Amino acid sequence: MTTVRIREDWVGRTIEEKFRLTRWLGGSEACGVFLAERDGRPGERFAIKLMPVESANAENRVAGWEAARELEAPELLRVLEHGHCEMDGAEFAYAVTAYAPEVLAEVLPGRALSAEEARAVLEPLVDGLAYLHGRGLVHGHVKPSNILADGDQLKLAVDHLMRVGEAHEGFAPGSYDAPELKRGVVTPAADVWSLGVTLVEILTQKPPGLAADGKLQIPEGLPE
C-alpha cells in the first residue's frame, strides 16, 4: 500500500518546469487529476493525472499510457505525453491529455438521457472500443466518469489501457466490471459488459445490480 499522498493544494506548482497546475479536478490521494497550462501556450488547457510510482499498478499504468500515445481515433482522448516528476520528495508518474470540460458522470445525477441522446453517446463509444480491440488493447474502465466531451466531440479517456489477456493483479470488482474479471485476466468482452452497464445507467441514472446467479438485473421500461 502506498504511503505517498497526492494533495489538492499542489495547485500553483509546476511539473517538469513545463506544466503549471491550475486547478484540482478530482480523484483520490493515490491518483489525482489537475487542470494545467503549459508555458508558452497561453489559453491552452491540459489535464494531468498523477500517481505515485510505488503504487502496485504503476508499471502497468505507465505501459498503458505509452500505448495510448499511439492512438489516433477521434473518439479517444489520447495521451499526449507522460513521464516522471518529484513532488515533496516523492516520485510520481504523470500523463498529460487534452482537457475535455464535460464529464458524463457529472450530468447523470441531474437527469437521465433520452433514448436519442443515449444513441448519440453509444455510437462513438462503440467505434472507439472497436478501434482499441482491433489493436489488441482493452480499455478496462468503461464508465461515465471516463466519458468526456469537448463541444460536440465525445471522447473516451484511455489512460488505463491493457493488453488483451493481461493479468489484472489486485483487482477489486466494481459496479461496471464483468464477473469474469475476478479471475484476473482482461478481455474485450469485459469492455462490452461495462458498456452495457454504462448504457443502463445513462438511461436510468444508476447502474444495474447483479442477481445471485451473476446476471444483470435490468430495470423494466428501458427503451428498446
Side-chain angles (χ1 to χ4, degrees):
M1 182 176 179
T2 180
T3 58
V4 180
R5 295 291 181 263
I6 294 172
R7 292 168 35 193
E8 297 181 33
D9 62 6
W10 285 350
V11 169
R13 297 197 185 187
T14 301
I15 302 294
E16 295 286 88
E17 299 183 352
K18 294 185 294 185
F19 295 99
R20 185 172 64 85
L21 307 181
T22 61
R23 179 158 55 95
W24 169 256
L25 295 178
S28 67
E29 292 179 333
C31 186
V33 184
F34 292 85
L35 183 66
E37 294 179 350
R38 185 166 187 166
D39 290 344
R41 298 187 185 181
E44 190 172 0
R45 297 184 295 176
F46 301 88
I48 292 187
K49 176 165 284 188
L50 286 168
M51 67 178 302
V53 296
E54 67 178 50
S55 298
N57 63 343
E59 185 175 345
N60 289 341
R61 182 70 67 86
V62 171
W65 292 346
E66 185 61 34
R69 291 190 64 183
E70 307 301 321
L71 305 178
E72 297 180 351
E75 303 87 4
L76 305 178
L77 193 65
R78 186 168 63 94
V79 172
L80 302 175
E81 63 177 272
H82 66 87
H84 292 82
C85 64
E86 185 177 300
M87 302 286 282
D88 291 349
E91 187 178 4
F92 291 84
Y94 72 88
V96 182
T97 68
Y99 173 60
E102 298 180 328
V103 182
L104 183 59
E106 296 176 355
V107 174
L108 294 179
R111 68 178 184 90
L113 271 59
S114 67
E116 182 177 353
E117 290 172 322
R119 180 184 295 275
V121 170
L122 181 64
E123 289 178 349
L125 293 180
V126 169
D127 289 343
L129 289 176
Y131 177 91
L132 292 175
H133 297 165
R135 284 154 181 76
L137 298 169
V138 176
H139 187 278
H141 291 78
V142 178
K143 55 185 176 180
S145 60
N146 283 325
I147 301 171
L148 307 99
D150 187 0
D152 294 332
Q153 180 64 62
L154 192 77
K155 300 280 188 179
L156 180 62
V158 290
D159 59 330
H160 293 81
L161 295 181
M162 294 167 280
R163 296 287 176 185
V164 173
E166 180 178 318
H168 195 333
E169 298 178 1
F171 177 72
S175 302
Y176 305 92
D177 297 314
E180 65 266 24
L181 288 182
K182 293 178 181 178
R183 297 196 296 269
V185 177
V186 298
T187 66
D191 277 349
V192 177
W193 173 285
S194 299
L195 182 62
V197 172
T198 298
L199 181 59
V200 172
E201 183 173 3
I202 286 172
L203 293 165
T204 66
Q205 295 181 283
K206 60 182 181 180
L210 282 179
D213 60 2
K215 293 182 179 180
L216 286 176
Q217 296 175 315
I218 305 299
E220 295 183 2
L222 280 180
E224 184 175 345

